[in-house]
Amino acid sequence: MKISIIGAGNVGALAAMRIAEQNLGEVMLIDILKGVAQGKAFDLDDCRAILGCHYTIQGSSLIEDIKGSDIVVITAGLARKPGMTREDLISKNAEIVGSVCRAIKEYAASAIVVVVTNPLDVMTYLTLQVTGFERRKVFGMGLTLDASRFSNLIAGDFGVAVTDIQPCVIGSHGETMMPLSRFTKVKGKILDTLGPVERINALVERTKKRGQEIVSLLGSGSAFFAPSAAIAEIVRVIAQDQKRVLGVSALLDGEYGVEGVCIGVPCQLGRQGIDKINILGLSSPEKEAFLKSAESIRELTKLLTHY
């Protein structure tokens, strides 16, 4: 497979490294800043003998070098700064992503597109509109990352391994995300049954604020280790046609009572993209919260005045 990553910043470069080291396909790293992607690709190339791993990676400043890609990952865009919400990013990142999507439509019309740029749900919707691709071929990375964060916080609080946890998060990749403790299992047991509601709710709230917490601590830029791992996980599931269920931002067409909004839901992924959107049996309060999350995304999407 040819896997192109557009944006060679911290997230894009680390994702390229993880994908290359797993030998998931030929990696093409693209960045508009001349020399940046090429330099990082050379550096990653120089790791091969040390790692004892033979992979192929190239760097370029030319967007047309994505030609023939099977998967395109969009990480290009501005990262959040302290005090900046995902919503603040819409105008500038819409301009960047819109330009990238026109190139994808021209040079990689058969590709599956994974969107990482924030605000993620809005940029996923924008990508679908500009490319005109089927909804199964375009989705956002967000909830794969959020579920990992939820698992990590649960593991720390309960003193268990993250591998013993099956997390469930739906909704926006933002402040209205919904970590669902009722659908989350720890060593096969429902999270709700393992502690008082105050303890569980604290974990849910920490998960919602985890991204902003990291931004505040870093002082400049945002998370990149975990986002790059989430990207590599999604790429692996697609490249190996694993038919696994991951949380991604998908365009809904009546599922969960929502139409015309990209929002995080559990989806079975494979070589063709989204094979199936899984429908959870939500309670009335959960349905209400999900619709509220969807509506918040719809309102932000209205800010896309042009693309």
Side-chain angles (χ1 to χ4, degrees):
M1 299 193 84
K2 180 174 180 179
I3 302 158
S4 290
I5 301 171
I6 302 176
N10 285 335
V11 174
L14 268 173
M17 181 190 77
R18 296 184 193 278
I19 291 166
E21 288 182 1
Q22 294 176 46
N23 235 340
L24 297 175
E26 172 192 337
V27 179
M28 174 62 70
L29 185 60
I30 304 285
D31 199 284
I32 194 170
L33 294 176
K34 193 169 183 180
V36 170
Q38 295 97 316
K40 291 186 178 183
F42 284 169
D43 196 12
L44 287 167
D45 243 355
D46 291 344
C47 296
R48 297 188 302 171
I50 299 168
L51 296 172
C53 180
H54 186 78
Y55 51 75
T56 301
I57 183 166
Q58 293 179 284
S60 176
S61 59
L62 303 175
I63 192 70
E64 54 264 37
D65 284 338
I66 67 170
K67 186 174 182 179
S69 295
D70 297 287
I71 302 173
V72 176
V73 179
I74 304 175
T75 71
L78 299 179
R80 285 191 298 169
K81 297 178 181 178
M84 180 186 287
T85 66
R86 289 183 174 86
E87 291 77 8
D88 295 330
L89 295 175
I90 288 179
S91 179
K92 184 60 180 177
N93 280 353
E95 181 181 336
I96 295 168
V97 172
S99 175
V100 165
C101 289
R102 285 187 285 275
I104 293 172
K105 185 176 181 179
E106 180 175 357
Y107 299 110
S110 298
I112 291 168
V113 184
V114 181
V115 182
V116 182
T117 307
N118 280 318
L120 185 131
D121 302 295
V122 177
M123 293 301 114
T124 303
Y125 180 85
L126 174 65
T127 299
L128 279 157
Q129 295 304 304
V130 176
T131 61
F133 288 1
E134 299 173 65
R135 66 173 181 150
R136 67 179 175 86
K137 292 179 59 181
V138 176
F139 42 90
M141 172 276 288
L143 291 193
T144 306
L145 169 61
D146 296 324
S148 181
R149 286 173 169 167
F150 195 27
S151 287
N152 182 45
L153 294 172
I154 294 168
D157 194 72
F158 282 88
V160 299
V162 291
T163 50
D164 289 330
I165 300 168
Q166 295 172 282
C168 182
V169 182
I170 62 172
S172 75
H173 180 57
E175 287 68 26
T176 61
M177 79 171 68
M178 297 170 59
L180 295 177
S181 56
R182 190 167 67 88
F183 290 93
T184 296
K185 293 182 179 181
V186 180
K187 291 188 174 181
K189 296 180 180 179
I190 301 298
L191 178 58
D192 275 350
T193 67
L194 299 179
V197 64
E198 294 81 9
R199 183 180 185 183
I200 306 304
N201 287 345
L203 288 167
V204 167
E205 290 305 311
R206 283 192 67 196
T207 302
K208 291 181 180 181
K209 297 173 181 176
R210 186 66 163 185
Q212 188 59 52
E213 180 184 11
I214 292 170
V215 169
S216 297
L217 288 168
L218 290 175
S220 178
S222 56
F224 47 90
F225 290 114
S228 67
I231 293 167
E233 176 78 347
I234 290 171
V235 169
R236 179 168 62 251
V237 169
I238 296 168
Q240 297 178 350
D241 198 24
Q242 291 184 4
K243 308 294 186 186
R244 279 181 52 205
V245 176
L246 295 175
V248 295
S249 182
L251 179 65
L252 299 190
D253 186 22
E255 297 88 357
Y256 293 93
V258 174
E259 290 188 15
V261 171
C262 290
I263 188 169
V265 289
C267 295
Q268 179 177 291
L269 303 180
R271 195 66 177 263
Q272 302 305 311
I274 296 176
D275 291 327
K276 182 174 66 173
I277 294 175
N278 286 7
I279 308 298
L280 299 174
L282 301 181
S283 65
S284 293
E286 288 164 347
K287 288 178 183 175
E288 184 178 346
F290 186 80
L291 292 175
K292 183 178 178 180
S293 186
E295 192 55 35
S296 71
I297 296 169
R298 193 187 303 277
E299 289 302 310
L300 288 176
T301 303
K302 290 178 182 178
L303 298 178
L304 293 171
T305 54
H306 66 278
Y307 34 80

